[in-house]
Amino acid sequence: MTDSAPPPRARFAPSPTGYFHVGSARAALFNWLFVRRHGGTFVLRIEDTDEERNRAEWTDGITSALEWLGMAPDEGPYFQSAQGDAHGTAIEALWESGALYACGCTREEIDGRTKLRAAAGDPTPGYDGHCRSLGLPRGDGRALRFRTPDEGVVLVSDLVRGEVEFPQRALDDFICVKGNGKALFVLANAVDDRTMAISHVIRGEDQLPTTPKQIMLWDALNEAMKSDLALPTYAHLPLLVNEQGKKLSKRRDPVAVEMYREQGYLPVAFRNYLALLGWSPGVEEIVPLDTLIETFRLEDVQRSPAFFDIQKLSHMNGVYIRQLPVTGFIAAARPWVDPQPGEWVPGGWRDPDTDTPIVAGPAWTRGRFEAAKFARLAQVTQERVAVLGEVPDLVDFLFLAEVPTDASSWQKAIERDEAAPGILAAALEAYGTCEWTIEELHRVTLGIAEASGKKLGKAQAPIRVAVMGRDRGLPLFDSLEALGRDETLRRISTALARVHPGT
Ligand code: GLU
Ligand code: ZN
């Protein structure tokens, strides 16, 4: 972009046919970074013309995911389905100019002829131009095809891919208007870009093969409508692949942005990670938004597929979580530990394939949550989680009326350790009177460990299982301090009674 160019208008044009794919989110982000960098306009256009596959909730999913990621559109959402008049005008003009012709062939007839051609040694797939010069009238359910020149090339100048040539011989006379008179995607998309004065088309590489057709349509529309709208500048973003190098698929891979939100990824971290998919701002990977915007250049986007690395994403999320001030962490974790009615909460989104929630809500009933107790453990929790969805399990012992005991932890730490009952009894006594601080709890427990001839870590295990239900989790003394003396003593007594029934 030169400095004198008018501010760009880029659009994100998803089809609401499923949950919000991480590849779509990356495309949205690159559009957004590009317009932010150049002071342009980010347009959202919902391409909802595939009536059978569109659902209103997918559109809501798109707008709420964009908002979550801090990329609400500057303009829109426009709905492609509301652009019927503009599509109709374009179709009329193309028809009048002779760029289109009606085709009465059925799918079977076309396939049959393709097979015959193949048998005769010509493997060219696609439509053979059968109706090109028949002069069929419109109507009667006939589709309209674009008269593609037989010779020449269409040149796609792409900011990412460079100059890509498409020989016109290889492009068949494609359908632009369906039998019902409605514009097909390839035409509707180009007409909308004209209507919305789009200057930059930034989208996934899967749309590259459509581009020469859209360029031909653009030129044909200019001619038919006696206009000379400049072709948008194209930038096709590299494919996202999994660790096997395979294209991310809805079946195999976790691709729904909604799912990452449920699991407790922070929007800043998720956005930072998405920015690195096919582009790099330099050596540092944790990059403030301002720097992303200042350094983003479509020309620097790579061509080779980008690996969507969930481990790297969750590592990055952990780094962002630890960078939060404790109060920020508490606020960010709130939907997972203290969901508020009427606000977004995790657990509401169900995997559409299995119809199960991605995360369960907290295990305790709502009224049992105590903000002050959670705050006491916030810092040690913050240091230990990669995603916010891990928080409830770490602090559940604070809020559950009865903490379930993990059977194998109980066996290992209490049943199979002869010293365990003695340690629990000693703890019951010492904790009954000691000062209730983390340091004091540490000190008296050290004494119990020494008296039983164990290392502190080993001596902690039965106490931890008695109070927290399992042998891993947050640091013990911080946990006891937050839980409080009375409840700690009650749980240790209950455990003792279970080891020595009847005493
Ligand atoms: N609606 C198309 C899709 O979701 C994208 C079209 C475009 O960005 O040009 O695949
Ligand atoms: Zn035909």
Side-chain angles (χ1 to χ4, degrees):
M1 294 261 327
T2 57
D3 287 342
S4 58
R9 288 175 57 83
R11 88 295 194 276
F12 172 50
S15 306
T17 54
Y19 39 73
F20 195 51
H21 193 286
V22 290
S24 293
R26 193 269 315 256
L29 175 62
F30 282 25
N31 274 284
W32 186 85
L33 287 173
F34 175 74
V35 301
R36 283 292 92 90
R37 152 118 183 170
H38 297 287
T41 306
F42 178 53
V43 178
L44 173 61
R45 179 170 79 229
I46 305 287
E47 303 213 310
D48 59 343
T49 39
D50 185 345
E51 285 136 10
E52 277 159 37
R53 296 173 62 213
N54 294 160
R55 298 219 307 257
E57 69 248 45
W58 299 135
T59 298
D60 295 343
I62 292 166
T63 45
S64 68
L66 289 178
E67 230 161 80
W68 176 63
L69 289 169
M71 308 192 295
D74 303 317
E75 235 183 80
Y78 296 116
F79 290 87
Q80 190 156 67
S81 59
Q83 301 295 317
D85 288 352
H87 299 164
T89 308
I91 292 167
E92 223 35 60
L94 289 173
W95 175 261
E96 285 305 317
S97 75
L100 305 181
Y101 65 87
C103 165
C105 304
T106 63
R107 184 78 257 160
E108 291 70 37
E109 287 165 348
I110 296 171
D111 289 348
R113 292 198 300 266
T114 306
K115 276 202 196 109
L116 284 180
R117 272 207 312 280
D122 173 4
T124 320
Y127 183 69
D128 57 359
H130 181 267
C131 302
R132 226 181 209 212
S133 44
L134 296 185
L136 295 172
R138 280 195 283 176
D140 285 340
R142 280 190 279 270
L144 305 186
R145 292 183 179 272
F146 185 78
R147 209 180 286 276
T148 306
D150 295 328
E151 296 302 330
V153 293
V154 185
L155 189 69
V156 180
S157 301
D158 192 283
L159 289 180
V160 178
R161 323 244 5 141
E163 311 264 282
V164 191
E165 282 189 4
F166 290 85
Q168 273 163 327
R169 220 174 337 103
L171 300 168
D172 68 356
D173 288 354
F174 55 94
I175 295 181
C176 300
V177 182
K178 290 183 270 194
N180 64 6
K182 294 217 168 119
L184 208 67
F185 161 73
V186 62
L187 176 62
N189 182 271
V191 171
D192 291 354
D193 285 343
R194 294 167 65 89
T195 311
M196 297 168 194
I198 297 303
S199 65
H200 288 74
V201 169
I202 303 162
R203 60 185 176 186
E205 195 180 81
D206 51 325
Q207 294 294 341
L208 187 59
T210 319
T211 311
K213 300 179 185 176
Q214 294 185 316
I215 292 177
M216 290 190 288
L217 281 170
W218 194 284
D219 292 342
L221 282 163
N222 271 351
E223 207 167 298
M225 304 178 92
K226 304 200 173 29
S227 54
D228 73 15
L229 294 182
L231 205 61
T233 300
Y234 292 96
H236 285 90
L237 310 173
L239 213 64
L240 300 188
V241 295
N242 64 17
E243 67 234 295
Q244 283 104 40
K246 293 204 181 107
K247 184 176 179 220
L248 286 190
S249 108
K250 286 190 182 181
R251 300 248 156 265
R252 277 190 308 259
D253 306 297
V255 294
V257 173
E258 288 92 336
M259 194 197 73
Y260 290 93
R261 182 180 186 184
E262 293 273 309
Q263 289 177 344
Y265 284 84
L266 299 177
V268 277
F270 199 73
R271 193 174 52 197
N272 187 157
Y273 182 69
L274 286 177
L276 307 180
L277 294 173
W279 174 72
S280 166
V283 279
E284 295 294 332
E285 299 218 305
I286 304 283
V287 192
L289 185 61
D290 286 353
T291 312
L292 289 178
I293 293 172
E294 276 158 31
T295 48
F296 185 75
R297 275 168 37 96
L298 286 167
E299 290 83 347
D300 297 337
V301 172
Q302 74 191 35
R303 293 182 196 189
S304 49
F307 172 28
F308 185 74
D309 184 346
I310 296 170
Q311 281 184 358
K312 190 163 162 188
L313 166 61
S314 73
H315 170 79
M316 188 174 269
N317 200 61
V319 173
Y320 269 97
I321 285 181
R322 287 185 287 285
Q323 278 178 2
L324 290 171
V326 180
T327 49
F329 171 73
I330 291 171
R334 211 201 54 196
W336 282 266
V337 293
D338 185 25
Q340 299 294 312
E343 285 179 15
W344 178 85
V345 292
W349 192 76
R350 306 172 84 81
D351 183 319
D353 292 331
T354 59
D355 197 34
T356 48
I358 289 296
V359 294
W364 54 88
T365 48
R366 211 174 144 243
R368 293 195 56 90
F369 179 76
E370 288 177 65
K373 282 191 181 166
F374 180 58
R376 294 183 106 87
L377 287 183
Q379 195 183 334
V380 289
T381 305
Q382 181 176 7
E383 285 159 4
R384 282 166 178 77
V385 295
V387 294
L388 297 169
E390 291 166 7
V391 173
D393 266 3
L394 286 175
V395 298
D396 62 357
F397 74 96
L398 283 180
F399 309 121
L400 285 169
E402 291 306 327
V403 181
T405 307
D406 171 57
S408 90
S409 302
W410 176 270
Q411 271 187 358
K412 246 194 303 178
I414 299 184
E415 222 166 79
R416 297 209 189 122
D417 183 355
E418 284 170 7
I423 290 173
L424 290 177
L428 192 60
E429 192 180 330
Y431 293 172
T433 53
C434 76
E435 199 190 325
W436 203 255
T437 61
I438 297 168
E439 297 69 34
E440 223 13 49
L441 285 163
H442 185 172
R443 200 185 62 77
V444 301
T445 311
L446 199 59
I448 296 171
E450 275 162 11
S452 67
K454 288 194 181 261
K455 291 222 166 70
L456 178 63
K458 287 274 179 224
Q460 283 187 49
I463 303 172
R464 176 189 286 284
V465 173
V467 177
M468 300 162 78
R470 57 189 159 225
D471 57 11
R472 64 207 159 265
L474 298 179
L476 179 64
F477 309 121
D478 300 68
S479 303
L480 300 183
E481 194 270 344
L483 183 64
R485 191 196 307 270
D486 292 350
E487 185 59 16
T488 300
L489 297 180
R490 189 185 73 79
R491 290 183 192 183
I492 295 175
S493 314
T494 307
L496 266 173
R498 200 175 142 190
V499 205
H500 293 307
T503 54

